[in-house]
Amino acid sequence: MRNANPWKAAVAAGALLLAAACGSGGGGADGGGAAEQKSVGKGEGRVDIIAWAGYAEDGSNDPEADWVHPFEKRTGCKVNTKTAGTSDEMVSLMKTGQYDTVSASGDATLRLIAAGDVAPVNTRLVPNYRDIFSGLKMRPFNSKDGKMYGVPHGRGANLLMYRTDKVSPAPDSWKAVFDDAAKYAGKVTAYDSPIYIADAALYLMKARPALGIKDPYALDHKQLDAAVALLKKQRQQIGEYWSDYQKEVTAFKGGDSVLGTTWQVIANTAAAEKAPVKAVLPKEGATGWSDTWMVSAEAAHPNCAYKWLNWIVSPKVNAQVAEYFGEAPANAKACRETADPHHCAVYHADDEAYYRRVHFWTTPVPQCLDGRKNVTCTDYAEWTRAWTEIKG
Amino acid sequence: MSATSREPRARGRLAALLAPPLLWLVLAYLGSLAVLLLSAFWTTDPFTSDVVHTWTTDNFRDVLTTPVYRTVALRTFGIAVAVTLLDALLALPMAFFMARVATGRLRRALLVAVLTPLWAGYLVKAYAWRVMLGEHGIVNAALAPFGLRGPGYGTTAVVIVLAYLWLPYMILPVHTALERLPAHLLEASADLGAGTIRTLRSVVAPAVRPALLAGSVFTFSLSLGDYLTAQIVGGRTQLLGNVIASQVTLDLPLAAALSAVPVALVVCYLAAVRRAGALDSL
């Protein structure tokens, strides 16, 4: 997700080619073999982190944004951050076993758990876990068999954004970007990732109940085909797909896009730059993402990793990150610490009713996530191939 | 090689001098390509996307039989050809003017103008084009008085931006070839009664052809491998590079098999160029 930085993608791809080819055969689908930690001892003096841009700031981008140095000072754990551009990149970096912790999104978490790349997290060793919103704990995308596999960090919904001067009447349904998209042909935008198939499935849940979609991430072949057909039809009206959030801001500012999916942070940035845009949560609800700090199964610095987990979701730091990045914080106490008193209201941080309408990204797996036993669901690899086909 | 280098000491020195680059060439440069092609014969665990070392040719079958890959490959090939033709059309008069007409300061200034963009970052240039081609960009603004519109983001934009990016790689070899063309050949042609067209066809064209083909190898192969430009100004267009990039973390063997397609295309192109004689002077 966020900021698919092309350089990093290219470098990672190159590195991966070598790494993967030199034999990473192990792993397997058994997964979950690693045991959770029993106690947190003295720090190892170092922690290696994979994070989204903006999640582990050390003041080098913005002197005001620095929660790495205070952590280093307090714990003696020197932080080495590797910024990842996409979920796929995070997964491949974690496979190297050289990192202790990662801020994985829901479209990556289950893959990491299944591959045995991450260990369950003993939440008793993370005191601040207590204050995390209950709506983020033990969710299908961050737990398995009743074990938490990380500490929730923040969340956001994939909203519908439109130009108020070009789109009327104001849309309140995803119909605007699917069945009615022709009205704004060439100016519609969509998120460029296989996980966007879930947005189409979410719309079909309401628009075509006969398909029987219960969970947008649990699609059997027939349901996937229907979503693919809908997205292929939508493609005729798409101006461009976006994955880098700056790209979407400029597209809406310049009028190249007038309607499409977005994140709250993009809507805020575009509005701050005087673009006449509005973002809504349509009546069908929306897909969304929630990030989780996970600990590597092969962590070389597990104690420092646990200290980092506790630090990054502590009220003050969680508030800083949430404001800097533009998301709803995970820690309930963070809402009192934000510089902007309205931050939590804007991002609906404590609005569980709001987030009940949000279907958080989950990795699609063959065992249907909606509990169906009589069919096989389509997995993420199939979604990826379908996505290539949709884009044609 | 001169006689002196056959003395043992000199040969030892030469070997020491050449060993590091040769080692680099074989191990890092060609080795990584070989590893890539090898991994195309492996498979992946569908869920964990770990590479499983089981020998299979399924990936190549998938690449050859899936319609969308064929469509994308043809589109990429078409774009590479279009970029090459466009660059050749732009480079020929430009290089001719620089090499044969302009003199002194003007020639140097033009050469610098051609070279300067090479020193700017790729992304900077591509994003500059993104701004220019946008809805309220300078292209639309300039065309508006004539009742026209720019191409917007899409395949045409990809061709334009790639042609822009690779143009120096076409101008420079053609310029060099024209510069080396002896003036007395042109004079002899005129003395023998040939007009401008005839001179261009019978004297200039044969001299320029190898350079043009050499330049086209650059524009063609660089276009085939590109994926960032499509991401930036391609709108909904995807090229082979984009498909490979989307598969690389999830299904490395498939990505490797897909990347064999541009490699095969370039090899075919090189073979064709070789038959045309452009590589003889190498």
Side-chain angles (χ1 to χ4, degrees):
Chain A
M1 143 186 121
R2 269 148 282 177
N3 262 335
N5 185 326
W7 291 316
K8 281 181 197 135
V11 171
L16 179 81
L17 288 181
L18 278 174
C22 294
S24 58
D30 48 342
E36 60 179 34
Q37 207 162 323
K38 296 281 179 288
S39 63
V40 176
K42 199 167 163 298
E44 295 89 350
R46 176 190 169 124
V47 58
D48 296 302
I49 292 174
I50 306 169
W52 293 117
Y55 271 21
E57 291 295 304
D58 60 1
S60 49
N61 293 320
D62 174 359
E64 298 292 307
D66 181 2
W67 38 94
V68 161
H69 285 118
F71 169 77
E72 290 178 338
K73 215 184 228 167
R74 184 176 296 210
T75 61
C77 299
K78 174 103 183 50
V79 174
N80 292 300
T81 307
K82 162 87 187 146
T83 307
T86 63
S87 286
D88 287 345
E89 201 187 329
M90 282 190 168
V91 171
S92 63
L93 284 171
M94 277 305 275
K95 282 192 189 304
T96 65
Q98 288 166 16
Y99 297 90
D100 300 307
T101 174
V102 60
S103 64
S105 295
D107 54 337
T109 44
L110 290 187
R111 279 190 268 165
L112 290 168
I113 295 172
D117 292 329
V118 289
V121 165
N122 185 344
T123 51
R124 286 188 310 274
L125 304 180
V126 184
N128 286 315
Y129 181 76
R130 206 176 40 230
D131 303 320
I132 303 287
F133 288 113
S134 60
L136 284 169
K137 291 178 178 172
M138 287 292 177
R139 297 300 305 271
F141 53 82
N142 59 19
S143 65
K144 191 181 169 216
D145 303 333
K147 280 188 202 158
M148 269 304 275
Y149 271 78
V151 175
H153 171 98
R155 53 183 164 176
N158 298 320
L159 303 169
L160 176 61
M161 180 155 81
Y162 59 97
R163 289 263 305 210
T164 50
D165 57 340
K166 300 270 169 66
V167 178
S168 72
D172 67 341
S173 160
W174 289 113
K175 195 169 188 220
V177 295
F178 291 115
D179 287 331
D180 290 348
K183 215 174 140 195
Y184 301 100
K187 305 275 184 189
V188 179
T189 188
Y191 185 52
D192 189 0
S193 161
I195 206 74
Y196 183 68
I197 290 171
D199 286 51
L202 178 84
Y203 173 65
L204 291 174
M205 270 166 81
K206 297 280 157 61
R208 305 250 305 272
L211 284 167
I213 300 174
K214 296 276 173 290
D215 177 335
Y217 305 97
L219 305 179
D220 60 37
H221 284 93
K222 204 176 108 244
Q223 293 164 338
L224 179 68
D225 289 347
V228 167
L230 182 65
L231 289 165
K232 276 187 177 165
K233 209 177 102 211
Q234 184 200 37
R235 182 186 175 271
Q236 313 300 323
Q237 325 301 342
I238 292 281
E240 67 175 352
Y241 293 96
W242 67 276
S243 56
D244 169 342
Y245 92 92
Q246 282 299 345
K247 188 171 157 185
E248 184 169 53
V249 171
T250 55
F252 268 86
K253 257 174 72 182
D256 292 295
S257 300
V258 300
L259 186 68
T261 129
T262 196
W263 298 322
Q264 186 70 51
V265 60
I266 297 173
N268 293 356
T269 312
E273 294 178 16
K274 303 272 182 293
V277 295
K278 236 181 132 177
V280 292
L281 183 71
K283 61 184 181 198
E284 295 92 352
T287 59
W289 44 269
S290 169
D291 298 337
T292 309
W293 283 99
M294 308 184 103
V295 176
S296 168
E298 302 164 39
H301 317 98
N303 294 332
C304 276
Y306 266 79
K307 287 175 199 283
W308 173 260
L309 256 54
N310 192 46
W311 169 259
I312 200 71
V313 297
S314 62
K316 183 95 191 151
V317 177
N318 197 217
Q320 278 178 306
V321 181
E323 278 198 292
Y324 181 79
F325 184 83
E327 65 185 343
N331 190 318
K333 287 184 178 163
C335 287
R336 274 182 263 146
E337 304 282 347
T338 52
D340 171 6
H342 303 299
H343 180 85
C344 278
V346 170
Y347 288 89
H348 303 271
D350 45 8
D351 190 349
E352 293 298 338
Y354 178 90
Y355 278 110
R356 264 196 293 280
R357 298 168 62 202
V358 175
H359 300 256
F360 289 111
W361 281 350
T362 306
T363 318
V365 289
Q367 304 80 18
C368 296
L369 295 158
D370 58 3
R372 280 182 294 170
K373 296 275 181 251
N374 53 345
V375 285
T376 314
C377 278
T378 47
D379 63 20
Y380 193 67
E382 279 173 87
W383 284 37
T384 306
R385 291 182 190 217
W387 187 242
T388 301
E389 207 177 294
I390 288 160
K391 288 172 63 187
Chain B
M1 211 176 277
S2 70
T4 48
S5 69
R6 291 206 190 89
E7 290 164 25
R9 271 191 62 185
R11 276 175 61 175
R13 262 196 307 235
L14 189 67
L17 190 71
L18 283 181
L22 275 177
L23 212 64
W24 171 262
L25 182 75
V26 172
L27 284 183
Y29 194 79
L30 298 176
S32 59
L33 262 181
V35 164
L36 171 76
L37 281 180
L38 182 66
S39 65
F41 292 98
W42 291 334
T43 181
T44 42
D45 182 292
F47 188 50
T48 63
S49 50
D50 285 328
V51 174
V52 181
H53 297 194
T54 320
W55 190 264
T56 168
T57 52
D58 285 2
N59 297 309
F60 287 104
R61 207 196 51 215
D62 279 358
V63 168
L64 292 176
T65 57
T66 312
V68 68
Y69 298 145
R70 204 159 40 228
T71 313
V72 174
L74 282 175
R75 178 186 304 133
T76 312
F77 177 77
I79 287 176
V81 169
V83 168
T84 304
L85 289 177
L86 192 59
D87 272 346
L89 279 176
L90 292 171
L92 273 174
M94 181 71 191
F96 189 81
F97 183 79
M98 276 163 60
R100 314 296 320 185
V101 183
T103 47
R105 289 174 70 99
L106 179 60
R107 175 189 285 197
R108 271 200 300 277
L110 283 173
L111 202 58
V112 168
V114 169
L115 285 173
T116 314
L118 278 181
W119 300 328
Y122 174 112
L123 287 182
V124 177
K125 290 184 280 187
Y127 273 104
W129 273 98
R130 180 177 166 82
V131 175
M132 290 199 289
L133 290 167
E135 183 75 15
H136 296 293
I138 194 166
V139 174
N140 274 346
L143 291 174
F146 310 102
L148 297 170
R149 285 176 55 79
Y153 303 139
T155 312
T156 317
V158 173
V159 172
I160 293 173
V161 175
L162 287 177
Y164 163 84
L165 287 169
W166 313 142
L167 184 59
Y169 298 96
M170 185 67 98
I171 291 187
L172 292 176
V174 176
H175 170 252
T176 311
L178 284 169
E179 210 176 25
R180 277 204 233 136
L181 185 69
H184 58 247
L185 280 185
L186 300 179
E187 285 159 18
S189 177
D191 288 349
L192 290 169
T196 315
I197 302 285
R198 184 63 207 254
T199 306
L200 279 179
R201 209 177 66 208
S202 305
V203 181
V204 178
V208 165
R209 210 174 60 127
L212 207 57
L213 286 173
S216 78
V217 171
F218 284 112
T219 56
F220 181 79
S221 58
L222 287 171
S223 304
L224 271 190
D226 194 85
Y227 81 107
L228 294 179
T229 294
Q231 237 170 49
I232 295 167
V233 297
R236 56 189 188 189
T237 310
Q238 61 179 352
L239 303 186
L240 271 173
N242 304 100
V243 178
I244 294 167
S246 71
Q247 293 287 356
V248 94
T249 46
L250 209 66
D251 194 342
L252 182 79
L254 180 67
L258 275 166
S259 64
V261 176
V263 172
L265 283 172
V266 168
V267 168
C268 290
Y269 192 76
L270 282 176
V273 167
R274 213 196 89 164
R275 290 189 66 167
L279 304 179
D280 294 350
S281 54
L282 274 181

